[in-house]
Amino acid sequence: MANYKTSRMAEDIKREMTAILRELKDPRIDPLLTIVRADLSGDMSNCKIYVSSLSGIENTKNSVHGLKSAAGFIRRELFHRLKMRKSPELTFIADSSIERGAEISKKLNDLL
């Protein structure tokens, strides 16, 4: 039962984080930034949020710095939007999965 609750809450966090990302005005945050995955701990006190960008890993890393500086605001927004009892500590991690997927897709299209 607890696993279902944490996975559902992780999906809710991912959905709300996507909306919050569009509202942030930090110039370091890439407009092509995407939330790949949100891993919530079992006790819901920590949440790792994996982000990726089509612009490359360097822009993703710069965006992570911007997200870390806005972590307090993001945490407060999540708390209010999801009506949580306790807001999790957010950790942002740069992920290159979208960029890798685009490269693989390009290579497959070149073969055809």
Side-chain angles (χ1 to χ4, degrees), residues 30 32-34 52-57 59-60 98-102:
D30 189 16
L32 298 174
L33 197 68
T34 305
S52 184
S53 176
L54 285 172
S55 303
I57 193 68
N59 285 344
T60 305
I98 290 182
E99 183 182 7
R100 229 177 341 171

Side-chain angles (χ1 to χ4, degrees), residues 37-98:
R37 187 172 80 227
D39 287 339
L40 190 61
S41 65
D43 61 351
M44 296 188 189
S45 62
N46 294 316
C47 185
K48 293 180 184 176
I49 299 175
Y50 295 88
V51 295
S52 184
S53 176
L54 285 172
S55 303
I57 193 68
E58 289 304 317
N59 285 344
T60 305
K61 289 179 182 178
N62 289 336
S63 296
V64 166
H65 290 297
L67 289 171
K68 283 181 181 178
S69 66
F73 170 77
I74 295 170
R75 204 172 159 187
R76 181 177 50 109
E77 283 295 311
L78 281 175
F79 180 74
H80 289 301
R81 291 180 183 202
L82 295 176
K83 309 276 191 283
M84 303 168 81
R85 187 175 292 173
K86 183 176 121 177
S87 180
E89 185 70 33
L90 301 176
T91 305
F92 297 99
I93 300 168
D95 188 22
S96 62
S97 62
I98 290 182

